[in-house]
Amino acid sequence: MKELLQENLSDLNLDKQTQDQSDFEKYKNVFKETRQLGDIHQSEEIFTCIVKIVPQIVEFSGVGLVEKEQYSDSYFLKKEHHLDGELDKHMRRLERSGCFKWVCESETVSLIPPAKELMNAKPVIIVPLLTGKKIVGAVVIFPKKKIMELNYKDSELLALLGTQAGIALENARLNEEMAIKNQVLSSMRSYLENSIESVGEGIIAVDSDGKISLFNSSVRDILGVECDTAIGLPYKELFDPEFVIFLDQLFESTLTTGECQEEYSYQHPVTKKLLPLEMHATILHDTEKKHVGAIAVCRDLTEHQELYHYRKLDQLKDEFISTVSHELRTPLTSIKSFIEILKDMETSDPVSRNEFLQIIDKESDRLIQLIEELLDISKINRGEMNSEISIVDVDNVCKKSMLLLKGVADKKNITLDLKLSDDLIVLSDENRLIQVFVNLIGNALKFSPENSTINIWSEQIPGNNSLQKNNYLKIAIQDEGIGIPKDSLKTIFEKFKQVREDPSTKPDGNGLGLWLCKQILLQQGGNIWAESERKKGSTFFFTLQQPE
Ligand code: ADP
């Protein structure tokens, strides 16, 4: 500033030797106060300061501050000091005449003489307010005395005031604009923050260094993060290592593909419950399309899955009721129609009569079996199928089951070849084990051709670690029947699933036997599965634990 002072002193050609000391003091004061304008940031105060400086250069009866509109050539009175009615009118006249525009564009402090018709009016001094080439406005001074011309020094001082005040006013305007923009920005920010906070989904954003830049309360709740100051923390420090690996992969794929959606089973750190999470991540760009991080929306799918589960259950129940009704109706219709035939039949045809009675008998058995199986299903579903586990001799149980099926085997001349050693014991419920054997051997008989053989054999599987000490017994029932297609090998263990060679003919049975076998064996710590080759036969295996 010292240099500027010297420069301005020389600009004004002040000859320190000769100039009047009081002029020099005046100049120094004006210069000092003008300089201080740079420290003021409010237009109100700037004007007060101008009003204080001007009388040191020229005495006035009124001062006005006109500002140029940003995007037009209009000037409007922004502030005034002692502008009474006459001066105000004068001011408006100047405004209308385009005087401000003309003086400001000339960038020169000007003394404007009064219009000819206003005989008593005094001239006006207009000081352009400039920042470089930009016009900010003008200070309009109504001198107290009638002056005919401005001396050079006063004119230079006023020009200096115009420049300093112009810069200060422009800065003040920019500050005010900035303050308004900041206010708009901060209200937009708080609007956005409120919106993000009120979203039910969890939202987490990270910058390119992996530091968290956004973390709403939903994500805090879903992930059970108790830290209040997640913002600014690297996400690697906030979560357990397994979830961090998942997030690393998610963000990495997002970088290559732009967006990415993955599911993750998240263990809640407080409740320890496993939550099915769906995370959808997208890349964040700045205005120049540079990657600045990623944002992920996190949804807890628990409710969604529960809803899906209940819907599925409902659907299964409906399907079950419809299948059961169908299964019940078929034998009942058959029984009913044969009874009708028998009612009208000649008593003299005992052969046909006997045949029909046998059909009725068979269909009734089928009905009884279906109802028994349904009762078993219901018991299993209610968790009431209690097995009385004891040490059971497998060979003995198998022989008892075979005896029950002897009639069927003899009818088809099928050999049941039992190769079980007689000292094999397992932990099982004897009656339930008979049910398993009867179903599996019964199926083998049903799907095998006449004169074939069914082999029943076993294999011991030793317990392989300290947790599983018990030995297992694997029992196989192998037939030479029609076989089962590969894609049905798993589904046949589901309820009502039967293999249909011809979609129009339904195999004998209800499709419940294997499901029941599986439930019985699972309950006793065993399992069941099948291997098969079409037209060559099937082997059903099941396992049971042996006592230690
Ligand atoms: P069901 O025999 O009463 O129909 P299961 O649940 O016992 O019911 O058997 C389901 C289906 O599995 C049968 O309908 C049949 O299609 C197939 N299946 C079971 N055992 C055999 C077997 N030994 N050979 C060929 N198919 C079989």
Side-chain angles (χ1 to χ4, degrees):
M1 270 343 264
K2 216 170 167 186
E3 284 151 17
L4 192 64
L5 173 63
Q6 274 164 4
E7 198 181 298
N8 278 291
L9 287 171
S10 65
D11 276 0
L12 289 167
N13 279 333
L14 290 176
D15 184 348
K16 282 194 177 68
Q17 308 298 314
T18 56
Q19 75 185 330
D20 180 82
Q21 188 60 31
S22 70
D23 269 4
F24 182 68
E25 284 303 316
K26 171 176 131 185
Y27 180 79
K28 245 172 68 182
N29 273 345
V30 168
F31 187 80
K32 197 173 135 209
E33 284 175 29
T34 309
R35 239 178 60 189
Q36 283 166 355
L37 279 170
D39 301 330
I40 307 173
H41 303 295
Q42 300 229 316
S43 52
E44 186 72 48
E45 282 177 43
I46 294 168
F47 184 62
T48 313
C49 202
I50 291 171
V51 169
K52 240 174 82 197
I53 296 169
V54 172
Q56 297 178 46
I57 308 166
V58 49
E59 279 188 279
F60 65 78
S61 49
V63 179
L65 174 70
V66 286
E67 214 172 82
K68 181 182 173 292
E69 274 189 356
Q70 278 261 62
Y71 304 104
S72 79
D73 280 335
S74 307
Y75 289 74
F76 61 94
L77 181 65
K78 183 143 187 218
K79 295 193 189 315
E80 54 89 15
H81 180 75
H82 291 167
L83 283 192
D84 57 17
E86 262 316 300
L87 295 184
D88 194 42
K89 265 191 219 157
H90 198 157
M91 186 87 176
R92 286 179 206 289
R93 234 176 274 130
L94 288 168
E95 193 183 319
R96 278 197 302 274
S97 65
C99 208
F100 298 139
K101 178 175 180 315
W102 176 78
V103 173
C104 287
E105 281 174 2
S106 74
E107 298 176 16
T108 317
V109 176
S110 309
L111 182 73
I112 309 293
K116 281 195 186 108
E117 64 272 17
L118 302 168
M119 290 307 288
N120 291 332
K122 294 170 192 154
V124 180
I125 302 166
I126 300 178
V127 182
L129 298 174
L130 307 163
T131 69
K133 286 272 160 211
K134 188 175 173 196
I135 300 166
V136 178
V139 174
V140 187
I141 306 165
F142 294 90
K144 205 169 200 169
K145 291 182 206 147
K146 196 164 186 167
I147 46 172
M148 299 316 287
E149 63 175 331
L150 269 176
N151 70 42
Y152 175 72
K153 279 179 277 174
D154 288 346
S155 162
E156 286 293 300
L157 282 174
L158 287 172
L160 183 65
L161 173 70
T163 311
Q164 292 292 322
I167 293 170
L169 278 167
E170 179 66 358
N171 284 343
R173 192 186 61 77
L174 289 175
N175 275 341
E176 277 158 21
E177 239 179 59
M178 192 87 93
I180 293 169
K181 276 186 186 156
N182 279 343
Q183 210 178 344
V184 171
L185 269 179
S186 86
S187 60
M188 266 171 73
R189 198 186 160 84
S190 68
Y191 172 77
L192 262 177
E193 276 172 1
N194 285 341
S195 314
I196 287 169
E197 277 303 297
S198 59
V199 169
E201 270 101 1
I203 300 177
I204 174 170
V206 293
D207 64 17
S208 42
D209 296 327
K211 286 190 182 147
I212 294 173
S213 52
L214 190 91
F215 200 75
N216 73 348
S217 50
S218 298
V219 84
R220 211 180 294 270
D221 293 346
I222 295 171
L223 302 179
V225 175
E226 290 192 339
C227 165
D228 285 335
T229 51
I231 307 286
L233 273 186
Y235 70 86
K236 291 179 197 264
E237 284 178 19
L238 201 63
F239 303 116
D240 71 73
E242 215 180 294
F243 190 49
V244 166
I245 293 173
F246 167 76
L247 288 177
D248 283 349
Q249 284 165 356
L250 181 80
F251 291 141
E252 221 164 272
S253 334
T254 311
L255 267 179
T256 40
T257 55
E259 67 178 303
C260 187
Q261 183 167 318
E262 292 290 342
E263 283 185 16
Y264 181 78
S265 188
Y266 178 81
Q267 186 168 38
H268 193 282
V270 182
T271 62
K272 301 288 171 214
K273 267 191 193 161
L274 278 182
L275 305 179
L277 291 189
E278 182 191 80
M279 302 276 295
H280 187 156
T282 351
I283 285 283
L284 284 176
H285 294 109
D286 64 6
T287 44
E288 276 142 35
K289 300 261 172 232
K290 227 176 77 190
H291 292 174
V292 288
I295 186 162
V297 176
C298 159
R299 279 179 69 205
D300 177 1
L301 297 180
T302 311
E303 268 181 36
H304 177 78
Q305 282 192 350
E306 274 171 8
L307 206 70
Y308 176 79
H309 178 71
Y310 287 129
R311 284 213 186 114
K312 188 87 197 145
L313 268 185
D314 254 10
Q315 189 190 341
L316 285 176
K317 221 157 79 185
D318 288 349
E319 276 172 23
F320 185 75
I321 291 170
S322 122
T323 316
V324 168
S325 318
H326 183 79
E327 295 292 324
L328 287 170
R329 200 180 56 196
T330 317
L332 274 175
T333 315
S334 165
I335 291 169
K336 173 112 177 86
S337 50
F338 281 107
I339 289 175
E340 290 299 321
I341 299 172
L342 280 173
K343 274 202 304 196
D344 303 335
M345 215 172 158
E346 295 284 323
T347 44
S348 57
D349 186 359
V351 180
S352 306
R353 202 183 158 79
N354 202 29
E355 196 186 322
F356 293 161
L357 282 171
Q358 269 178 24
I359 294 172
I360 293 172
D361 191 36
K362 196 177 150 212
E363 290 298 315
S364 306
D365 282 349
R366 205 175 129 194
L367 260 183
I368 291 167
Q369 193 196 343
L370 175 63
I371 289 164
E372 271 170 5
E373 285 175 340
L374 286 174
L375 284 172
D376 277 349
I377 289 181
S378 150
K379 268 195 213 159
I380 288 170
N381 285 344
R382 280 182 284 130
E384 287 172 7
M385 170 106 120
N386 298 323
S387 302
E388 282 170 25
I389 306 287
S390 58
I391 293 176
V392 175
D393 179 339
V394 180
D395 181 58
N396 186 21
V397 170
C398 187
K399 279 181 182 149
K400 279 187 192 169
S401 314
M402 279 162 57
L403 207 62
L404 293 172
L405 296 161
K406 191 174 177 321
V408 189
D410 288 351
K411 220 173 177 179
K412 288 177 89 173
N413 195 28
I414 294 175
T415 312
L416 292 171
D417 191 358
L418 183 64
K419 289 196 188 87
L420 297 174
S421 46
D422 48 9
D423 55 349
L424 282 177
I425 48 168
V426 289
L427 291 170
S428 183
D429 176 316
E430 180 165 334
N431 288 329
R432 294 289 170 203
L433 189 54
I434 290 177
Q435 198 178 342
V436 171
F437 268 119
V438 167
N439 192 75
L440 295 180
I441 301 171
N443 279 348
L445 289 167
K446 190 159 62 176
F447 297 106
S448 291
E450 287 179 4
N451 308 317
S452 59
T453 304
I454 294 170
N455 289 304
I456 303 166
W457 47 269
S458 71
E459 190 187 330
Q460 231 163 352
I461 307 165
N464 53 7
N465 59 42
S466 57
L467 284 175
Q468 190 193 311
K469 284 193 195 120
N470 289 35
N471 290 338
Y472 275 77
L473 187 69
K474 181 167 94 177
I475 299 158
I477 293 151
Q478 185 180 27
D479 65 51
E480 298 166 351
I482 58 171
I484 302 164
K486 227 185 178 89
D487 54 359
S488 300
L489 278 175
K490 278 208 175 107
T491 54
I492 50 170
F493 294 98
E494 292 169 17
K495 272 180 257 176
F496 296 111
K497 287 282 156 63
Q498 295 184 300
V499 181
R500 294 195 182 202
E501 286 289 315
D502 171 4
S504 62
T505 53
K506 183 188 171 309
D508 258 3
N510 308 308
L512 291 172
L514 288 178
W515 184 84
L516 280 170
C517 290
K518 186 164 179 171
Q519 304 312 308
I520 291 168
L521 291 164
L522 288 177
Q523 204 186 39
Q524 299 184 9
N527 209 341
I528 184 168
W529 69 99
E531 288 172 7
S532 182
E533 205 176 325
R534 298 287 305 279
K535 302 206 167 94
K536 291 212 170 145
S538 315
T539 309
F540 279 79
F541 298 96
F542 68 91
T543 53
L544 280 170
Q545 280 188 43
Q546 292 195 295
E548 269 183 57

